[in-house]
């Protein structure tokens, strides 16, 4: 059924929590709502325009990607009405379009624009440019079971395989403008 969120104009991102609840990242006020059993409650505020991406990371914390200032925030999965804690600012980024967490490497990846950079962050929030594409925006990012990183672009609709810092190859050039989502499957399938 429908669950009203009266002070959000749109939902930009979502993440399912281990308890079955979902967190929804919204605009135009950068709020996160928890939806569970037909009930909606405010989980956190960021002070940004929108929460454009989310991922469960270290110790079950939820990392929030936002725009227009390219900032990352973090909240506890069970947050209730809190102000999200600043986690990192990504140099040159205005938009954080996608987030992925690699539990084996304990690394967070952030797909950003308008410079088309993929950042890798450690638990302290220290960002490093992992891949600098020629595209204006990297829209999506995913990590497979082997730790291989994939990112998708806006502009030419390219799907990249990133095998290490600065090392990437184009896996597929889609007849489209954007690669908005990547879902790793079994045995290397995407």
């Amino acid at each position: 059924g429908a669950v009203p969120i009266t002070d959000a104009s749109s939902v930009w991102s979502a993440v399912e929590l281990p308890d079955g609840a979902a967190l929804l990242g919204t605009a135009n006020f950068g709020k996160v709502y928890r939806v569970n059993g037909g009930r909606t409650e405010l989980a956190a505020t960021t002070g940004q325009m929108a929460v454009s991406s989310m991922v469960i990371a270290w110790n079950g914390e939820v990392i929030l990607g936002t725009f227009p200032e390219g900032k990352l925030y973090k909240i506890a999965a069970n947050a209730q009405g809190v102000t999200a804690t600043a986690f990192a600012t990504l140099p040159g980024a205005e938009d954080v379009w996608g987030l992925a967490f690699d539990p084996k490497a304990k690394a967070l990846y952030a797909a950003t624009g308008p410079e088309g950079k993929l950042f890798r962050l450690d638990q302290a929030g220290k960002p490093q440019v992992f891949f600098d594409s020629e595209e204006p925006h990297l829209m999506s990012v995913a990590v497979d079971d082997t730790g291989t990183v994939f990112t998708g672009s806006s502009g030419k609709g390219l799907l990249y395989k990133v095998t290490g810092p600065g090392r990437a190859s184009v896996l597929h050039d889609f007849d489209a403008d954007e690669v908005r989502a990547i879902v790793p499957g079994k045995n290397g399938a995407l």
Side-chain angles (χ1 to χ4, degrees):
V3 178
I5 301 174
T6 57
D7 64 344
S9 64
S10 57
V11 175
W12 280 78
S13 58
V15 67
E16 184 178 1
L17 299 173
D19 67 2
L23 293 179
L24 305 177
T26 67
N28 283 340
F29 300 103
K31 295 180 180 180
V32 177
Y33 291 89
R34 174 180 290 96
V35 178
N36 194 8
R39 292 188 30 232
T40 303
E41 64 183 1
L42 178 67
T45 60
T46 64
Q48 296 295 304
M49 182 182 294
V51 177
S52 49
S53 54
M54 292 189 281
V55 69
I56 298 172
W58 305 275
N59 304 315
E61 289 183 311
V62 181
I63 305 296
L64 316 172
T66 65
F67 67 78
E69 296 176 6
K71 293 184 178 182
L72 297 176
Y73 294 85
K74 66 180 176 178
I75 61 172
N78 63 353
Q80 293 182 322
V82 303
T83 299
T85 302
F87 178 65
T89 299
L90 305 176
E94 295 174 9
D95 312 301
V96 182
W97 297 120
L99 294 170
F101 182 69
D102 181 349
K104 290 179 184 173
K106 297 184 179 180
L108 175 73
Y109 295 92
T112 69
E115 296 179 359
K117 292 180 181 175
L118 179 68
F119 289 89
R120 180 182 175 164
L121 295 94
D122 61 19
Q123 193 170 356
K126 181 181 176 191
Q128 121 188 42
V129 175
F130 197 65
F131 171 56
D132 189 354
S133 76
E134 294 181 10
E135 294 284 273
H137 293 270
L138 293 178
M139 302 299 296
S140 54
V141 59
V143 180
D144 72 8
D145 291 348
T146 68
T148 302
V149 180
F150 301 90
T151 188
S153 75
S154 174
K156 296 180 183 174
L158 302 176
L159 174 63
Y160 295 96
K161 178 180 182 180
V162 186
T163 55
R167 295 190 313 268
S169 59
V170 175
L171 279 184
H172 194 76
D173 182 350
F174 290 94
D175 186 21
D177 295 331
E178 294 181 341
V179 179
R180 300 279 302 159
I182 305 164
V183 179
K186 296 195 185 285
N187 301 320
L190 293 176

